[in-house]
Amino acid sequence: MHVVDYIVFLIYFVIVAGYGLWIYNRKKKANEDSKDYFLAEGSLTWWAIGASLIASNISAEQFIGMSGSGFKMGLAIASYEWMAAATLIIVAVFFMPVYLKNKIYTMPQFLQQRYNGTVAMIMAVFWLLLYVVVNLTSILYLGALAISSISGNDLTLCMYGLAIFAVVITLGGMKVIGYTDIIQVFFLILGGLVTTYLALNLVSEKFGTTGVFNGFNLMMSHAGDHFHMILKRDNPSYLDLPGLTVLIGGLWIANLNYWGCNQYITQRALGADLPTARSGILFASFLKLLMPVIVVIPGIAAYVLHQQGSFSTELLQNGEVNPDKAYPLLLNLLPIGLKGLAFAALTAAVVASLAGKANSIATIFTLDIYKKKLNPEANEQRIVTVGKITVVVAMLIAIIIAPLMGIDKKGGFQYIQEYTGFVSPGIFAMFIMGFFWKKTTSNAALFATVGGFVFSLFLKFLPTHADLSGLANIGFAKATDAGVFEIPFLDRMGIVFGLCVIGMVIISFIDNARGVKPNGLEVDTSLFRVSNTFLVGSVIVLGILAALYTVFW
């Protein structure tokens, strides 16, 4: 990077840090009130909520991993982003009214109110371990790896820099995170669009023309197989995205669990009133439509350039093409100044995700473990202090263990999706049944939590002990390069979810017959009605999605 690039990055850093400090000093209540500190109760506007949702969601695994998947399989990977746009509408209409009506501020709190303290504590500890050991660590390490490859700075130095930047923002509380995320999203989108523009121009120039539209048309003509949203069974990437499953199967479970039952995400809207929360989520849905343009199209462009002779050696790792190197290679081709902007965009994505994750870790530990079990008499100021200490400790743990985890960035996005899928079906079954079926008992919830994980492991390793070739005839299995018939992980999630729901119904009926009375939530169906503005916005989003899937089927 040139000195001009560092100046551009410094401008970004000063704007974010200065704005965050101004927001923090504007309202000192965040130092004393735990709900204000962790949730920014009543303080975030709809546009701040929407921007924060996207900033927390988009990180290195999207910029690097999803772009790499675009290089490998094409536009089909965009289903994670475009189906998320539809998922967010469902969450806004059906999930948020239940949370807000019952004054739920954390996911373990929901489990305690709906089931019991045992289920809540088990999941609180589980989420803490997952967020610290897996999510926070991978975001920090993958982010530092990407930034190190672009800037040329030492990996460890990049890790410390990202961690310190994120801690400074997080210590200001959710209000600072929410409002600085607006700036983060601005840089994220601007820098991302600049990279996409460059990538499309490079394709044009490779074929002796100019212009981004020419570049896009050339990509479609020279990589037509990379512009299919629904993959056929003979596609090499079918195991990752099995055909219609993205529209009617397991991808819904992955998305609904992530966007509707995840403290890290829902926390942005839990401190707002229902109209504000819904408007913010709808705004995030619109932004989601734009994400594949930023993170997938550059990957496909890199694929076309590679097919035409570019990046012949730069993409190699241990003698094989590593798709996850595509995005950093494109960034290194940016002119002076714009590289600094793209560098700021990637940093913004990583820092916003780190801050959001650290705040969620602090919220769960402080409100669901410390306040309930360790020090029930703690006052508001003490709770906030413990939350801030938790942020620092969690980040230190991530820094220490990240280099020891053997995190491999190759195929990073798909890897993260698959292994999150081991627990998603059971957790989502526990939530969705708890929402909408009052007879669901705590024993049924425990079954879903443990059983979902066990079922996932069973189906994952079943192909090594049984011949599943018969399932291939009905589209539920595909042969790997080794000749073993595997169930695609998204289909596996759908099957496990179905088994969990069936098991929960059976156990709940048995418990009901024994006189067990579950703790049903208060569900006011009138709250499912939406405003005309929200309805129009939702129809526009769904119409755009229908058009995209029709054009790129």
Side-chain angles (χ1 to χ4, degrees):
M1 283 175 59
H2 192 272
V3 64
V4 175
D5 296 312
Y6 283 108
I7 292 173
V8 172
F9 178 78
L10 182 63
I11 291 171
Y12 149 75
F13 178 84
V14 170
I15 290 173
V16 173
Y19 185 57
L21 185 63
W22 181 74
I23 291 291
Y24 180 75
N25 289 326
R26 190 180 174 192
K27 205 172 182 183
K28 292 292 186 180
K29 182 185 175 185
N31 292 325
E32 304 168 358
D33 189 299
S34 60
K35 286 181 182 177
D36 193 85
Y37 178 78
F38 293 114
L39 299 164
E41 191 171 28
S43 299
L44 295 183
T45 59
W46 62 267
W47 36 272
I49 291 171
S52 189
L53 282 168
I54 297 302
S56 299
N57 167 242
I58 301 297
S59 189
E61 67 262 30
Q62 272 81 16
F63 270 104
I64 307 302
M66 188 172 279
S67 184
S69 293
F71 181 101
K72 177 184 176 184
M73 70 177 71
L75 197 61
I77 195 66
S79 283
Y80 277 99
E81 300 299 300
W82 285 337
M83 293 307 292
T87 303
L88 281 163
I89 293 173
I90 293 174
V91 170
V93 174
F94 297 107
F95 286 43
M96 292 313 300
V98 178
Y99 288 140
L100 297 179
K101 178 69 174 178
N102 292 274
K103 293 181 171 58
I104 289 167
Y105 301 113
T106 70
M107 297 301 98
Q109 180 196 344
F110 162 78
L111 297 177
Q112 175 145 6
Q113 282 186 216
R114 180 57 183 86
Y115 297 116
N116 58 33
T118 302
V119 175
M121 188 55 63
I122 289 173
M123 290 308 300
V125 173
F126 166 78
W127 272 315
L128 276 180
L129 290 173
L130 179 69
Y131 287 173
V132 175
V133 177
V134 178
N135 296 118
L136 194 67
T137 303
S138 62
I139 292 171
L140 181 63
Y141 188 79
L142 292 178
L145 205 59
I147 289 172
S148 174
S149 68
I150 297 164
S151 66
N153 292 319
D154 179 69
L155 175 64
T156 303
L157 178 65
C158 290
M159 282 180 58
Y160 277 100
L162 286 171
I164 292 170
F165 194 0
V167 165
V168 169
I169 292 175
T170 313
L171 291 180
M174 179 54 75
K175 190 186 287 89
V176 173
I177 294 171
Y179 281 107
T180 54
D181 276 351
I182 299 167
I183 301 175
Q184 307 277 38
V185 163
F186 171 78
F187 277 97
L188 185 158
I189 292 177
L190 181 61
L193 288 176
V194 165
T195 306
T196 301
Y197 180 86
L198 167 86
L200 292 173
N201 261 331
L202 285 174
V203 172
S204 292
E205 292 170 3
K206 193 72 177 179
F207 290 91
T209 63
T210 57
V212 294
F213 293 108
N214 284 334
F216 186 78
N217 289 330
L218 286 165
M219 282 166 51
M220 290 191 66
S221 61
H222 288 270
D225 60 327
H226 274 52
F227 284 90
H228 295 299
M229 295 298 299
I230 307 298
L231 302 182
K232 296 180 179 179
R233 268 188 281 175
D234 60 355
N235 192 293
S237 299
Y238 186 83
L239 282 171
D240 293 322
L241 287 170
L244 287 173
T245 293
V246 300
L247 292 179
I248 58 175
L251 188 57
W252 280 106
I253 295 165
N255 269 324
L256 285 168
N257 178 71
Y258 179 84
W259 293 102
C261 312
N262 183 354
Q263 179 74 33
Y264 172 50
I265 294 299
T266 55
Q267 188 164 339
R268 271 109 192 102
L270 292 179
D273 56 67
L274 185 56
T276 303
R278 276 181 169 159
S279 297
I281 294 172
L282 181 62
F283 178 46
S285 183
F286 273 101
L287 292 177
K288 267 292 172 188
L289 296 175
L290 183 62
M291 288 302 111
V293 177
I294 295 173
V295 298
V296 180
I297 296 300
I300 302 176
Y303 171 79
V304 173
L305 292 169
H306 177 63
Q307 293 298 102
Q308 297 300 316
S310 300
F311 310 138
S312 56
T313 58
E314 295 91 337
L315 285 169
L316 295 180
Q317 179 174 307
N318 299 324
E320 296 182 2
V321 172
N322 181 356
D324 283 353
K325 286 189 172 184
Y327 199 83
L329 282 174
L330 287 174
L331 293 190
N332 280 326
L333 295 177
L334 284 169
I336 293 173
L338 289 181
K339 184 183 288 187
L341 179 62
F343 184 57
L346 186 57
T347 303
V350 176
V351 169
S353 293
L354 285 173
K357 188 65 71 176
N359 183 266
S360 296
I361 291 166
T363 303
I364 290 176
F365 175 78
T366 308
L367 299 184
D368 294 300
I369 296 178
Y370 179 80
K371 174 66 175 173
K372 289 181 179 176
K373 297 295 181 182
L374 302 180
N375 188 3
E377 304 301 321
N379 59 31
E380 290 291 292
Q381 191 170 1
R382 178 63 179 169
I383 292 172
V384 172
T385 301
V386 170
K388 292 180 178 180
I389 294 172
T390 304
V391 167
V392 176
V393 171
M395 203 67 74
L396 284 173
I397 293 173
I399 290 173
I400 292 169
I401 68 174
L404 309 175
M405 297 294 288
I407 299 172
D408 182 7
K409 193 158 62 64
K410 186 176 182 180
F413 181 78
Q414 287 297 98
Y415 179 86
I416 291 169
Q417 295 303 318
E418 176 170 3
Y419 285 94
T420 302
F422 276 99
V423 295
S424 298
I427 293 174
F428 180 59
M430 177 171 58
F431 270 78
I432 202 71
M433 295 291 282
F435 278 153
F436 303 115
W437 195 45
K438 290 186 177 182
K439 293 183 179 181
T440 310
T441 63
S442 56
N443 287 330
L446 284 172
F447 166 80
T449 304
V450 179
F453 182 67
V454 173
F455 287 144
S456 295
L457 285 178
F458 175 76
L459 291 178
K460 170 66 176 176
F461 295 106
L462 180 62
T464 60
H465 302 286
D467 181 10
L468 301 182
S469 58
L471 291 177
N473 297 326
I474 56 174
F476 280 107
K478 178 179 168 62
T480 64
D481 293 337
V484 177
F485 283 87
E486 283 191 5
I487 302 173
F489 78 89
L490 286 174
D491 286 338
R492 191 170 69 228
M493 288 176 66
I495 294 169
V496 171
F497 173 74
L499 291 173
C500 287
V501 169
I502 292 170
M504 291 181 74
V505 170
I506 294 172
I507 292 171
S508 295
F509 275 134
I510 293 172
D511 285 343
N512 295 158
R514 292 168 47 214
V516 175
K517 293 183 177 180
N519 305 315
L521 291 175
E522 185 178 348
V523 179
D524 184 354
T525 55
S526 67
L527 293 177
F528 295 152
R529 290 196 294 268
V530 299
S531 67
N532 290 335
T533 304
F534 183 91
L535 181 61
V536 170
S538 299
V539 170
I540 292 173
V541 169
L542 297 176
I544 293 173
L545 287 175
L548 288 168
Y549 275 92
T550 300
V551 172
F552 297 109
W553 185 271

